[in-house]
């Protein structure tokens, strides 16, 4: 397929695909990149314990690079310099074994944008780097755009920065672009950041794909996380020892111990504001992280009338709105003003911010540890600061099954810890505690849930790609097939996340101006498609995702407009607030 598409594209564009480096030329490129990075790393000061610890972690990663292809773990505490250590390992390993390319993935675009900026600053130039995700602004010049598309189709760049979703699509989605990219994964180094975010329903597919890449394709896979999932305990486990690149060592971990997770017990939602006010008395800044937007809205409104300055963050706010609020929060922290921030999990990753106190409503341990990473982040307070976990007894998580399962597994761990803390080294973030959490989490999953079961098909994607017994059982012509796998069906039904949401442009800031321009453009007889693409790219920062039931209700009362042949939906005035973002409870005469 790749050869066919390549020949066609080269003929139509009258130009060859970008050349992929081979042999000694590629080895020299890896050597040049590594030398540049080593020089930049040597500029770091080494006069504080945390700086010394980061360097030791980095050195251990570089020393580990002599090992051949396999699946390895990089378990580094928050603030341990994971991004740079992983990059240094990947470059050293690529030079040692002359690997075809390095593929760096992350689960969240906010993390990816941040990591990409760091990675670029430690490489000699941008020529070696391809970024592939939805936030990338494509070149406007035709020649540059064609070359970017060619690089994206084949992943022919030496270093690719992309999302976990794009990686999983490359492995399993049926689109020709995904299938073509698969060859790029062979003989490569794949660094998967925040590996705990692999959805539970894809554990089987993920594990078996990583096994295949490592054992058959000579690919090196690095699993990065501060809360390493026990993937060897899954229904279809990862194979091999999954050796730790940086083994646990108390003296090495000690400089990063800035918080201690504490069980704050059970409270009703209406009791939480009083608990927050009490803790806020002892801290200049407090962060409260909730599981749902409705919880965050309720608690923000309950706390907003106090003496502290209150802020709200949630996925109901467009990206630009969240950036504006984060800037205001950082200014308030810098000024030393007393503040309370009520947020959903959008603040837990990819946000470099530090609060004096953090309270987290019970969820998965990975989320709790991420929230703790927003507390005393830069060691502003000597010693450890408590991070409180509240078990909210009356919250409704019926639409959020993954969060509910994570919450139940965390509560089981909290109960076990309260009885015998010595089994977990007195630390809820210890390896023993995290493994206990994942063991409980996996045990609570229904049979075949990890196999990506598709109700509409009546079986799982795993079954479609293996024996495919359900579809071929009893078929009289089954014996004539050499391959039983239903590749096309599996590729058609595979999706990383359920597509039950709709992106909507909201009237916030420049989003309102973009909406007006789109309305004007929609009325024109001949549409300017180049101008439309530019506007749609800019509109991404002013969109929110709505569930189907929300969009259906909004459409009933005429609050959503479809523009540009249905390519974009625009939210009309009355359902977006400059403080809390999108809300179904806003004005328009109380229709909803």
């Amino acid at each position: 397929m790749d050869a066919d598409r390549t020949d066609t594209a080269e003929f139509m564009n009258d130009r060859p695909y970008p050349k992929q480096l081979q042999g000694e030329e590629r080895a020299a490129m890896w050597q040049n990149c590594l030398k540049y990075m080593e020089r930049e790393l040597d500029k770091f000061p080494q006069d504080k314990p945390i700086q010394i610890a980061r360097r030791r972690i980095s050195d251990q990663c570089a020393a580990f690079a002599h090992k051949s292809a396999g699946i390895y773990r990089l378990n580094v505490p928050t603030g341990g310099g994971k991004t740079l250590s992983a990059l240094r390992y990947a470059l050293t390993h690529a030079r040692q074994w002359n690997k075809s390319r390095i593929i760096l993935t992350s689960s969240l675009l906010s993390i990816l944008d941040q990591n990409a900026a760091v990675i670029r600053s430690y490489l000699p130039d941008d020529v070696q780097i391809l970024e592939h995700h939805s936030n990338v602004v494509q070149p406007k010049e035709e020649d540059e755009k064609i070359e970017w598309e060619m690089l994206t189709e084949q992943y022919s760049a030496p270093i690719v920065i992309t999302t976990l979703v794009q990686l999983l699509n490359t492995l399993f989605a049926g689109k020709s672009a995904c299938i073509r990219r698969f060859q790029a994964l062979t003989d490569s180094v794949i660094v998967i950041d925040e590996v705990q975010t692999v959805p539970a329903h894809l554990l089987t597919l993920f594990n078996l794909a990583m096994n295949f890449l490592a054992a058959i394709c000579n690919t090196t896979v690095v699993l990065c996380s501060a809360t390493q999932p026990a993937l060897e305990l899954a229904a279809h486990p990862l194979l091999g020892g999954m050796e730790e690149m940086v083994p646990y060592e108390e003296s090495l971990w000690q400089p990063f111990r800035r918080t201690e997770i504490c069980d704050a017990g059970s409270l009703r939602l209406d009791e939480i504001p009083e608990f927050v006010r009490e803790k806020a008395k002892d801290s200049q800044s407090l962060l409260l992280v909730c599981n749902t937007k409705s919880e965050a809205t309720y608690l923000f409104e309950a706390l907003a009338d106090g003496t502290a300055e209150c802020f709200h963050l949630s996925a109901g706010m467009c990206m630009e709105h969240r950036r504006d609020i984060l800037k205001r929060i950082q200014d308030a922290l810098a000024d030393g003003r007393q503040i309370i921030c009520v947020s959903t999990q959008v603040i837990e990753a990819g946000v470099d911010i530090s609060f004096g106190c953090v309270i987290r409503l019970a969820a998965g341990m990975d989320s709790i540890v991420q929230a703790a990473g927003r507390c005393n982040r830069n060691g502003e307070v000597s010693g450890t600061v408590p991070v409180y976990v509240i078990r909210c007894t009356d919250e409704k998580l019926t639409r959020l099954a993954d969060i509910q399962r994570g919450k139940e597994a965390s509560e089981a761990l909290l109960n076990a810890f309260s009885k015998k803390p010595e089994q977990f080294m007195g630390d809820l973030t210890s390896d023993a505690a995290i493994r206990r959490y994942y063991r409980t989490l996996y045990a609570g999953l229904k049979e075949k849930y990890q196999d990506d079961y598709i109700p509409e098909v009546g079986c799982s994607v795993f079954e479609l790609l293996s024996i495919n017994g359900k579809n071929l059982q009893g078929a009289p012509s089954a014996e004539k097939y050499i391959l039983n796998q239903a590749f096309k069906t599996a590729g058609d039904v595979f999706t990383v996340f359920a597509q039950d949401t709709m992106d909507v442009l909201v009237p916030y800031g420049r989003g309102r101006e973009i909406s007006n321009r789109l309305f004007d453009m929609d009325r024109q007889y001949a549409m300017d498609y180049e101008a439309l693409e530019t506007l749609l790219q800019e509109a991404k920062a002013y969109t929110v995702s709505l569930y189907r039931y929300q969009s259906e209700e909004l459409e009933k009362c005429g609050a959503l407009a479809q523009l540009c042949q249905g390519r974009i939906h625009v939210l009309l005035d009355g359902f977006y607030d400059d403080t809390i973002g999108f809300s179904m409870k806003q004005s328009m005469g109380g229709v909803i």
Side-chain angles (χ1 to χ4, degrees):
M1 180 178 282
D2 183 53
D4 176 63
R5 297 296 194 277
T6 298
D7 287 348
T8 303
E10 289 184 339
F11 175 78
M12 296 299 293
N13 295 320
D14 193 26
R15 63 191 295 175
Y17 268 75
K19 180 185 176 183
Q20 299 188 44
L21 298 179
Q22 303 289 337
E24 293 183 2
E25 191 177 8
R26 186 170 67 197
M29 181 270 298
W30 290 133
Q31 177 67 19
N32 181 47
C33 289
L34 182 60
K35 285 179 65 176
Y36 184 90
M37 183 178 188
E38 297 280 9
R39 286 197 299 269
E40 292 300 304
L41 290 176
D42 286 341
K43 297 176 182 178
F44 276 121
Q46 293 288 296
D47 52 359
K48 294 182 180 179
I50 198 166
Q51 295 167 342
I52 296 170
R54 284 177 183 148
R55 183 67 192 208
R56 283 184 59 197
I57 289 171
S58 177
D59 289 345
Q60 288 189 41
C61 287
F64 195 88
H66 74 278
K67 293 181 180 289
S68 58
I71 303 174
Y72 304 113
R73 279 176 166 153
L74 179 55
N75 186 11
V76 177
T78 304
K82 179 176 53 180
T83 301
L84 291 180
S85 293
L87 178 62
R88 188 182 181 196
Y89 164 82
L91 289 173
T92 309
H93 187 76
R95 182 200 62 178
Q96 173 85 18
W97 301 95
N98 201 13
K99 289 293 189 178
S100 63
R101 62 186 47 78
I102 295 170
I103 301 173
L104 304 159
T105 79
S106 187
S107 56
L108 299 175
L109 286 174
S110 56
I111 300 176
L112 196 69
D113 288 340
Q114 182 176 292
N115 288 354
V118 172
I119 290 165
R120 287 179 183 279
S121 66
Y122 283 86
L123 292 172
D125 57 63
D126 281 357
V127 176
Q128 295 98 345
I129 301 173
L130 168 68
E131 279 193 65
H132 180 226
H133 50 84
S134 60
N135 275 5
V136 171
V137 179
Q138 297 183 22
K140 291 185 179 180
E141 295 295 328
E142 189 63 23
D143 283 354
E144 293 180 2
K145 185 175 182 179
I146 290 173
E147 182 167 356
W148 183 86
E149 288 173 348
M150 286 179 161
L151 286 169
T152 303
E153 287 166 359
Q154 287 190 322
Y155 275 6
S156 48
I159 297 174
V160 179
I161 303 173
T162 189
T163 62
L164 177 63
V165 170
Q166 293 290 356
L167 175 64
L168 292 170
N169 282 342
T170 297
L171 290 164
F172 298 110
K175 294 180 179 178
S176 60
C178 299
I179 297 169
R180 289 184 66 188
R181 286 196 289 267
F182 187 91
Q183 48 77 31
L185 306 183
T186 64
D187 193 35
S188 64
V189 186
I190 302 178
V191 178
I192 303 174
D193 194 17
E194 306 296 353
V195 66
Q196 80 281 357
T197 60
V198 173
H201 72 277
L202 296 181
L203 285 175
T204 291
L205 297 181
F206 177 81
N207 286 354
L208 296 183
M210 295 305 110
N211 290 342
F212 176 80
L213 288 172
I216 308 299
C217 301
N218 196 41
T219 298
T220 301
V221 180
V222 181
L223 309 177
C224 300
S225 177
T227 52
Q228 283 284 345
L231 296 175
E232 70 279 9
L233 301 178
H236 294 83
L238 282 180
L239 301 179
M242 285 183 290
E243 193 174 347
E244 295 281 358
M245 292 170 60
V246 183
Y248 175 81
E249 182 183 332
E250 177 60 28
S251 61
L252 189 57
W253 257 242
Q254 187 56 43
F256 304 106
R257 295 194 191 283
R258 301 183 293 272
T259 59
E260 179 185 5
I261 295 174
C262 302
D263 185 356
S266 300
L267 293 173
R268 295 192 314 274
L269 186 64
D270 61 6
E271 294 175 325
I272 293 176
E274 186 57 34
F275 181 87
V276 173
R277 293 188 189 97
E278 283 299 313
K279 298 305 176 186
K281 292 177 181 178
D282 301 322
S283 180
Q284 197 69 16
S285 59
L286 184 145
L287 170 65
L288 170 62
V289 184
C290 309
N291 289 321
T292 70
K293 288 182 282 188
S294 59
E295 288 173 348
T297 301
Y298 170 81
L299 292 170
F300 168 77
E301 291 174 347
L303 293 164
D305 59 354
T307 56
E309 190 175 355
C310 282
F311 297 92
H312 176 275
L313 282 169
S314 82
M317 303 158 71
C318 66
M319 179 63 73
E320 197 61 32
H321 192 174
R322 296 203 298 268
R323 287 174 180 155
D324 290 344
I325 296 298
L326 280 169
K327 176 65 169 59
R328 289 173 55 195
I329 292 172
Q330 288 166 335
D331 289 344
L333 290 170
D335 294 342
R337 305 201 300 268
Q338 187 173 22
I339 67 167
I340 293 175
C341 175
V342 183
S343 175
T344 59
Q345 48 268 61
V346 295
I347 202 170
E348 287 180 346
V351 180
D352 187 7
I353 198 165
S354 181
F355 291 86
C357 178
V358 168
I359 301 170
R360 181 61 164 96
L361 269 61
M365 280 304 298
D366 53 332
S367 294
I368 293 172
V369 172
Q370 288 279 16
R374 308 313 115 192
C375 183
N376 197 25
R377 187 173 178 83
N378 304 309
E380 295 90 349
V381 177
S382 60
T384 58
V385 175
V387 171
Y388 301 99
V389 178
I390 295 176
R391 311 185 200 196
C392 185
T393 58
D394 57 347
E395 67 179 343
K396 296 177 175 61
L397 299 174
T398 52
R399 296 180 185 271
L400 301 168
D402 287 342
I403 294 178
Q404 179 64 42
R405 282 190 290 265
K407 176 182 176 180
E408 291 169 356
S410 291
E411 289 179 345
L413 173 62
L414 291 172
N415 292 337
F417 184 86
S418 66
K419 295 174 183 175
K420 293 184 178 180
E422 66 278 2
Q423 289 186 350
F424 309 100
M425 302 171 61
D427 182 3
L428 281 165
T429 65
S430 66
D431 284 348
I434 298 301
R435 282 181 62 80
R436 172 67 174 266
Y437 163 75
Y438 280 110
R439 188 183 301 115
T440 304
L441 181 66
Y442 296 160
L445 298 175
K446 293 181 180 178
E447 186 180 5
K448 297 186 179 181
Y449 179 82
Q450 299 178 41
D451 299 348
D452 195 16
Y453 184 80
I454 310 295
E456 296 80 6
V457 181
C459 65
S460 66
V461 174
F462 168 62
E463 289 174 299
L464 292 172
L465 293 176
S466 53
I467 59 173
N468 194 23
K470 181 176 179 63
N471 285 6
L472 290 180
Q473 188 175 9
S477 58
E479 294 81 3
K480 74 177 185 180
Y481 295 109
I482 297 173
L483 296 175
N484 286 348
Q485 290 89 343
F487 291 113
K488 186 178 189 307
T489 302
D492 289 344
V493 300
F494 175 80
T495 182
V496 179
F497 299 109
Q499 304 296 311
D500 199 27
T501 59
M502 174 194 294
D503 286 341
V504 176
L505 177 61
V506 299
Y508 175 81
R510 177 155 165 71
R512 186 183 299 278
E513 180 184 340
I514 295 172
S515 296
N516 292 335
R517 290 186 63 188
L518 288 170
F519 272 107
D520 292 340
M521 192 174 290
D522 194 62
R523 300 186 189 101
Q524 297 173 7
Y525 178 74
M527 188 170 292
D528 184 344
Y529 286 99
E530 185 175 343
L532 174 61
E533 290 300 325
T534 300
L535 276 178
L536 293 180
Q537 188 72 34
E538 190 176 353
K540 289 180 180 179
Y542 300 92
T543 62
V544 298
S545 292
L546 305 184
Y547 290 109
R548 182 184 297 275
Y549 78 92
Q550 293 174 321
S551 60
E552 288 175 350
E553 289 292 332
L554 290 168
E555 286 174 346
K556 285 178 184 177
C557 66
L560 274 183
Q562 288 191 38
L563 302 179
C564 306
Q565 300 168 351
R567 294 189 62 181
I568 191 163
H569 291 75
V570 176
L571 183 68
L572 304 184
D573 284 334
F575 290 89
Y576 196 88
D577 183 86
D578 284 350
T579 302
I580 63 172
F582 170 74
S583 173
M584 295 291 284
K585 297 179 180 179
Q586 289 302 300
S587 58
M588 288 198 68
V591 175
I592 296 180

